[in-house]
Amino acid sequence: MAVDTSPRSTTWTFVDGEWVTGNPPLIGPTSHAMWLGTTVFDGARWFDGIAPDLDLHCQRVNRSALALGLDPVVAAGDIEGLAWEGVKKFDGQTAIYIKPMYWAEHGMPGSVVAADPASTRFALCLFEAPMNTAQPSSLTVSPYRRPSPEVAVTTAKTGSLYPNSGRMILEARARGFDNALAKDMNGNVAETASSNIFMVKDGVVFTPLANGTFLAGITRARILHLLRRAGLDVRETTLTVEDFLSADEIFTSGNYSKIVPVIRLDDRHLQEGPVAKKALEVYMDWAHGNGSDF
C-alpha cells in the first residue's frame, strides 16, 4: 500500500516562482539531495502576529548553503519577504513553522559525490505547528555523540546531521525518556538531540561553550543576551554530564518550542525552576516588542 504523502497540517510552499499547497513532489530518485543528502534548511516561528529573529534565520540558511557547497540563490531579505507573504495564507490562529530550504539537484561534473552548486534549488515551506512552549521534558544521556567539524559539516543546519539526532531520540524514548543529552567527541555535553541546553547552579546560569560540534542556535544567543541584560550571571563553558546531574535547574532553548524545562535527567528528578520561567518571560517580552534588540 502506498504511503500517504500529504502533510499533517495546513502547508504552503513557495517553489519555482509560485505558492503551492500540500506536499509538492520536488525531489526524484536521481536528485543529488535524495541520493547523497545535500540539503540545508532553517526554521523560524510565527505566532501572535510576530516572527522573532526571522531575519537571522534567513541569513543563516544562506550561510548553511555555502558551507555545504550550494549556491544560496535567494537573498536573505527576499526570503524574509516571501515568508511574510506566506504567513498571510493561513488563518492566523495556529503557530507556523517557517522553513527555507536549499538542495542540490545534480552532482558536480566529473564527480558523483560533490554537489553541483549551479544545480541548487530553493523552496520556502510554511506549515502549522503548535508551539508546545514550557512543556516539561525528561532527558537521558545518549550513547551516541555529536560529530566534530573534521568529520561532518557541523557549521551548517543540514539535513544530513539529523539522522544522528533521530537515533538519539529513538534510543531515549525506548527507555522512557522524551529526549537525549548528547556529548561531543571529547565526552563533554554539547546539547540535546534537538535543542541547546542550559543549567543553573547556585544562581549561575551555564551553557556549553560553542566548540563547533553543535549548532549554537539563534534562540540560544537571544536567551544569553536577555538573561544577562536581566542581571543574571550567564557563562558559556565546558560542561560534563556530572555538572548537569548536580545542577539545581536544567532547561533547553530552541526555535521550535523556545524554552522547555527539564524535570528529569536519568535518575535525577528536578523541579521546573525560576530561571527557565524567567528566560521564557524575557524572551516573550522582547519578542512582543517590549525589549531592545541585541
Side-chain angles (χ1 to χ4, degrees), residues 21 31 51 74 87 103 126 128 147 149 171 174 176 180 209 212 240 254 262:
T21 191
S31 299
V74 182
V87 164
W103 69 97
L126 285 75
E128 291 182 342
E171 193 277 337
L209 182 69
T240 65
V262 174

Side-chain angles (χ1 to χ4, degrees), residues 132-176:
N132 294 324
T133 295
Q135 296 296 314
S137 180
S138 61
L139 298 177
T140 183
V141 178
S142 179
Y144 307 119
R145 298 196 179 189
R146 288 293 188 214
S148 66
E150 295 84 1
V151 297
V153 190
T154 58
T155 56
K157 193 172 178 68
T158 169
S160 60
L161 293 175
Y162 278 78
N164 191 42
S165 296
R167 68 174 182 162
M168 289 180 185
I169 292 173
L170 288 171
E171 193 277 337
R173 292 192 175 181
R175 292 193 285 117

Side-chain angles (χ1 to χ4, degrees), residues 63-102:
R63 294 197 301 272
S64 292
L66 290 170
L68 208 66
L70 304 177
D71 183 8
V73 294
V74 182
D78 292 338
I79 299 174
E80 186 178 358
L82 285 168
W84 282 113
E85 183 180 312
V87 164
K88 296 176 183 177
K89 295 184 175 294
F90 294 80
D91 63 14
Q93 301 302 309
T94 304
I96 298 169
Y97 192 77
I98 301 171
K99 182 175 62 172
M101 311 170 69
Y102 289 107

Side-chain angles (χ1 to χ4, degrees), residues 3 27 33 43-44 74 82 90 116 130 143 145 159 163 177 185 209 215 222 234 238 245 251 272 292:
V3 174
I27 296 178
V74 182
L82 285 168
F90 294 80
D116 182 358
R145 298 196 179 189
F177 295 86
M185 296 303 290
L209 182 69
L215 200 63
R222 183 65 67 185
V234 184
T238 300
L245 287 170
F251 63 94
E272 296 182 47
S292 62

